[in-house]
Amino acid sequence: MNRRAEVLAAAEALLEAEGAEALTMRRLGAALGMQAPSLYKHVRSKDDIEAGLQERALRGLAEALPGGGDLPALAQAYRGWALAHPRLYELATGRPLRRDRLAEGVEAAAAAPIVGAAGGDEHTARALWALAHGLVTLELAGRFPPDADLDATWRAALARFPLA
Amino acid sequence: MNRRAEVLAAAEALLEAEGAEALTMRRLGAALGMQAPSLYKHVRSKDDIEAGLQERALRGLAEALPGGGDLPALAQAYRGWALAHPRLYELATGRPLRRDRLAEGVEAAAAAPIVGAAGGDEHTARALWALAHGLVTLELAGRFPPDADLDATWRAALARFPLA
DNA sequence: ACCTGAACACCGTTCAAGT
DNA sequence: ACCTGAACACCGTTCAAGT
């Protein structure tokens, strides 16, 4: 693990443990036993760190998603990963994707299981992705009533996409 | 218009014109012809400003949504409002809703047209909301390929909710 | 009642200097 | 090659002081 990867791993741990506002160069440096300016030897900027976390999130999500085309299983894995890494998911999806800094194939690998479950139709795939993303972000942001039965909401939502 | 409302209106204008990172107490004060500390006479904190902007967004959205139960018209109005106020929409939906600071009925007024289009079923309403929210946020974040035909994606998505 | 200037504890980032 | 301390231009916020 090179130094940049170490910084990114520590950044993810700090983010997930203490929240986005705790992810500062000074705190991250402290977690790694160095001063904040030293981080710039391993990483271009804080923006660069966030782009790296986006890539880590995409890789983690792609690894967690099953590829068999079973929509309920896919949805459960998607929701499960997001709820297990809520702040990373939010950081990775809540801002523009830095495609220029993304390794080749990472975005496609995360998208492939969704396209597969959509039977290859791009519009259906985007609708499924938007539906899952919307449900997850609204859940993470506490937008649904506290007593909402979200399992039932997911089932009702997925029932709109039979076979596909 | 009392002083607090003036501050919120200026905050919305600054946010929409220059982005979230430009919405600082010093810049907002300058836009209103006062020093940053003076803002605290009219507003509790920056957090209070953001809660106020959430309420403005909810009111604006509720006003823009038609209530007739016509899903395509509702979807178009929802998307249109979000694209017309992208940074306000993002600020209003991208963080937890401060229900404690929200005037009575504001949240319900924004939700009512969606529940109406869902035929009163809460799970369908949440699925529709998540779908629209997901499509809008992914579009605003530039997550879809630049050449994606999003009108067609919206049509395909809404086709999953016939009659309802 | 409203506004100011100074101050505090923070930010991200640069840079000369050390090993 | 890697790390440090000092510095710069910013933050949100508090507070004594002015009108």
Side-chain angles (χ1 to χ4, degrees):
Chain A
M1 182 144 86
N2 63 21
R3 227 79 164 91
R4 181 170 200 275
E6 281 177 37
V7 171
L8 292 180
E12 179 179 339
L14 181 57
L15 168 70
E16 213 56 85
E18 309 209 38
E21 82 290 350
L23 183 55
T24 73
M25 300 302 273
R26 282 169 175 83
R27 302 225 10 209
L28 180 56
L32 287 160
M34 63 178 72
Q35 299 302 117
S38 303
L39 291 168
Y40 291 82
K41 288 291 163 184
H42 311 110
V43 121
R44 227 191 285 264
S45 62
K46 189 177 181 185
D47 207 65
D48 183 33
I49 293 176
E50 293 176 350
L53 290 180
Q54 278 192 327
E55 177 158 338
R56 284 175 70 90
L58 245 42
R59 287 187 195 280
L61 187 59
E63 204 170 335
L65 298 183
D70 178 356
L71 182 55
L74 176 64
Q76 195 181 4
Y78 190 98
R79 184 186 180 198
W81 193 90
L83 296 185
H85 310 83
R87 322 223 222 212
L88 184 59
Y89 182 87
E90 201 174 24
L91 184 145
T93 63
R95 60 196 66 195
L97 183 62
R98 256 83 95 192
R99 287 199 175 82
D100 50 322
R101 305 209 202 175
L102 214 56
E104 197 71 31
V106 173
E107 188 181 9
I114 301 172
V115 175
D121 180 71
E122 61 175 347
H123 296 302
T124 302
R126 286 184 200 133
L128 277 174
W129 181 27
L131 180 60
H133 175 63
L135 284 169
V136 158
T137 55
L138 292 171
E139 181 175 5
L140 288 178
R143 286 316 197 95
F144 293 122
D147 62 332
D149 182 351
L150 295 185
D151 286 334
T153 294
W154 274 86
R155 278 193 302 274
L158 296 181
R160 298 289 178 164
F161 293 81
L163 51 116
Chain B
M1 183 145 86
N2 64 21
R3 225 77 166 95
R4 180 171 201 273
E6 279 176 39
V7 171
L8 292 180
E12 179 179 338
L14 181 57
L15 168 71
E16 213 57 85
E18 308 210 38
E21 83 290 349
L23 184 54
T24 73
M25 299 302 273
R26 283 169 174 83
R27 303 227 6 212
L28 180 56
L32 287 159
M34 63 177 75
Q35 300 302 117
S38 303
L39 290 168
Y40 291 82
K41 288 292 163 186
H42 310 110
V43 120
R44 228 190 283 261
S45 63
K46 189 178 180 185
D47 205 67
D48 183 33
I49 292 176
E50 294 176 350
L53 291 181
Q54 278 193 326
E55 176 157 338
R56 283 175 70 93
L58 247 41
R59 287 186 196 279
L61 187 59
E63 204 170 334
L65 298 183
D70 177 356
L71 181 55
L74 175 64
Q76 195 181 4
Y78 190 98
R79 185 185 179 200
W81 192 90
L83 296 185
H85 309 83
R87 323 226 220 209
L88 184 59
Y89 182 87
E90 201 173 24
L91 183 145
T93 63
R95 59 197 66 195
L97 184 62
R98 255 84 94 192
R99 288 200 174 81
D100 50 321
R101 305 209 200 173
L102 214 56
E104 197 71 34
V106 173
E107 188 182 9
I114 301 173
V115 176
D121 179 70
E122 60 175 348
H123 296 301
T124 302
R126 285 183 202 135
L128 277 173
W129 181 28
L131 180 60
H133 175 62
L135 284 169
V136 158
T137 56
L138 292 171
E139 181 176 4
L140 288 178
R143 287 316 198 97
F144 294 121
D147 62 332
D149 182 353
L150 297 184
D151 286 335
T153 295
W154 274 85
R155 280 194 301 273
L158 295 181
R160 299 289 179 165
F161 293 82
L163 51 113

